[in-house]
Amino acid sequence: MRKSFLSLATPGVQQLRPYLPGKPVEELERELGISGSIKLASNENPLGPSTKALEAIQKHSGSINYYPDGGGYKLTARLAQKHNLPTQCITLGNGSNDILELTRAFLTPEHSAVFSEYSFAVYPIVVQAVGAKANIATAYLETHSTMPLGHDPQALLSCIDDSTRVMFIANPNNPTGTWLELDVLKQLLDKVPDHVIVVLDLAYNEYMDEALRPEINTWIDGYPNLIVTCTFSKIYALAGLRIGYSISTPEIADLLNRVRQPFNTNLLAQEAALASLDDKIHLTQSVSLNNAGKKYLQQALAELGLESLPSMGNFIAINLKQEGLPVYEKLLKKGVIVRPVANYNMPEYIRVTIGTAEQNQRFVKTLAEVL
Ligand SMILES: Cc1ncc(COP(=O)(O)O)c(C=O)c1O
């Protein structure tokens, strides 16, 4: 009999459980032989991409026989201008997920990384893949008055030890939607020792109330140990193209670039991202659609007698007070794909992405039926 290769994998990889993505519509329809399904499972933008991005893709599609610009000169320059920082502060990633993985530049089996319970599933994967230790901070309790299951700054700080090199903070956090106020976040950063790189994951930043969004350039000046990660997958609606970036000091960007693949962002993604940055109307419409959808869903869920966590993202975590997985499966059968979050240790919750008005209504109606 052939020997299993599991024993050949590194200890971290042997224990690793892969990331579970949202179920694609095509897969569900193939499996159940149904049509007309909706996917509210991966926090994508239901408005679709900017027409400017689509035009840019069309315009540049004849050039895909060439490698992309490895440094992403034009996009990097545009992002530097947007954030009012030198180009050397920007690192492009194949989605912001790619940047999260570049933090392996700081982690070995002798090191640890700190992140909160119920925070983004990629953090433990990144840490474990390199055999580093995860120091997981206890989150606020479900009974917390304002931020149930949210990041607790004190708990995060108390998980730092001499071996810690990286701390991940998602603001707002996925899958909870909870957030830290700017002054609280600042007080936290003030207390993080110099030997810890703080990765502030702002994947949903544009969905937050304006008063909650940091002025990134002054933060980079004030906190040289900070890496801010941003994405074009959410509000810019380019999830399928895989493009994101980080903002840090040039010194940290240089270290990230040492472990970055030479052509990690593709040519069409670079061009589409560049064009998207010029479409302010698409951005405003996306924010408005999300705000209206959030209000509708929060009210409709309350009317169904369901509690949901406060959210500053384009998704809501709903407390079903019963096992979430069977409810998820019943919704699937009716062509509504949401996200079960038992893998986040939240077995009684499901997470729903805020969709178009029509999708939100269908979700509420279907949820009421299956409950
Ligand atoms: C908190 C958070 N960070 C990062 C990402 C990664 O997004 P992407 O790689 O598409 O930029 C996600 C995706 O859902 C997320 O929820």
Side-chain angles (χ1 to χ4, degrees):
M1 210 173 67
R2 195 161 63 76
K3 187 172 168 295
S4 158
F5 294 115
L6 182 69
S7 60
L8 301 183
T10 61
V13 172
Q14 285 185 25
Q15 305 295 324
L16 208 57
R17 267 188 269 152
Y19 179 78
L20 289 172
K23 198 174 187 65
V25 165
E26 279 178 20
E27 185 182 304
L28 175 74
E29 299 195 339
R30 206 168 47 234
E31 282 172 10
L32 298 185
I34 56 173
S35 60
S37 312
I38 56 168
K39 182 184 176 210
L40 300 172
S42 301
N43 303 342
E44 293 141 337
N45 184 338
L47 201 60
S50 148
T51 48
K52 287 188 195 295
L54 295 176
E55 282 160 18
I57 291 168
Q58 190 87 46
K59 183 169 163 208
H60 294 276
S61 59
S63 305
I64 57 170
N65 52 319
Y66 295 108
Y67 281 100
D69 173 355
Y73 177 82
K74 284 189 296 179
L75 179 58
T76 302
R78 178 70 178 81
L79 289 169
Q81 180 204 27
K82 172 179 159 73
H83 294 288
N84 201 13
L85 281 165
T87 52
Q88 293 86 343
C89 295
I90 309 292
T91 307
L92 298 184
N94 191 257
S96 58
N97 197 123
D98 190 23
I99 307 277
L100 299 176
E101 291 193 13
L102 297 183
T103 58
R104 65 179 179 275
F106 303 98
L107 294 170
T108 74
E110 274 77 55
H111 294 124
S112 65
V114 171
F115 50 87
S116 179
E117 275 182 293
Y118 318 117
S119 60
F120 186 42
V122 164
Y123 309 152
I125 295 178
V126 168
V127 174
Q128 203 176 322
V130 292
K133 187 167 168 266
N135 292 350
I136 303 176
T138 309
Y140 284 137
L141 294 175
E142 209 169 19
T143 50
H144 191 270
S145 59
T146 52
M147 265 331 131
L149 306 188
H151 289 14
D152 174 351
Q154 282 315 319
L156 283 163
L157 286 170
S158 67
C159 283
I160 295 176
D161 58 33
D162 289 345
S163 74
T164 306
R165 289 293 173 274
V166 177
M167 173 187 275
F168 293 101
I169 302 171
N171 210 46
N173 179 47
N174 171 22
T176 58
T178 50
W179 65 96
L180 293 170
E181 301 281 338
L182 277 185
D183 54 342
V184 176
L185 203 48
K186 266 192 151 162
Q187 284 160 18
L188 169 59
L189 290 173
D190 284 335
K191 290 182 191 142
V192 174
D194 285 350
H195 66 269
V196 179
I197 304 284
V198 179
V199 179
L200 180 59
D201 179 343
L202 296 185
Y204 303 95
N205 189 44
E206 299 84 353
Y207 290 107
M208 289 207 285
D209 290 350
E210 225 165 313
L212 292 169
R213 296 184 221 154
E215 199 168 295
I216 297 173
N217 54 357
T218 54
W219 283 40
I220 296 294
D221 278 347
Y223 303 104
N225 57 337
L226 185 63
I227 300 176
V228 174
T229 60
C230 304
T231 186
F232 285 93
S233 299
K234 306 299 175 185
I235 203 112
Y236 292 104
L238 298 178
L241 281 179
R242 312 304 302 125
I243 183 123
Y245 64 100
S246 67
I247 309 165
S248 65
T249 61
E251 189 188 349
I252 290 186
D254 169 51
L255 297 170
L256 298 178
N257 272 304
R258 292 181 195 195
V259 289
R260 181 177 68 80
Q261 266 188 55
F263 302 105
N264 63 334
T265 62
N266 73 74
L267 188 151
L268 297 180
Q270 288 182 21
E271 294 294 345
L274 194 58
S276 297
L277 288 169
D278 287 333
D279 196 342
K280 297 275 178 298
I281 296 174
H282 178 269
L283 194 84
T284 317
Q285 284 175 344
S286 302
V287 173
S288 307
L289 184 72
N290 193 65
N291 286 342
K294 185 161 76 173
K295 203 165 154 199
Y296 164 77
L297 282 173
Q298 284 171 336
Q299 197 173 331
L301 292 167
E303 280 165 18
L304 288 178
L306 294 169
E307 281 171 22
S308 51
L309 299 181
S311 174
M312 274 293 159
N314 64 345
F315 55 90
I316 298 177
I318 305 164
N319 188 351
L320 299 170
K321 308 240 163 107
Q322 59 174 290
E323 283 294 308
L325 213 52
V327 176
Y328 158 76
E329 275 157 11
K330 284 181 197 160
L331 288 168
L332 275 188
K333 294 208 172 90
K334 291 176 176 278
V336 176
I337 313 174
V338 297
R339 194 66 157 261
V341 281
N343 59 323
Y344 283 92
N345 262 337
M346 295 167 64
E348 300 206 327
Y349 285 77
I350 52 170
R351 190 197 68 197
V352 63
T353 301
I354 300 168
T356 59
E358 206 185 355
Q359 290 172 333
N360 297 334
Q361 281 159 19
R362 175 155 167 207
F363 163 71
V364 171
K365 185 170 164 282
T366 317
L367 182 65
E369 281 165 21
V370 307
L371 289 177

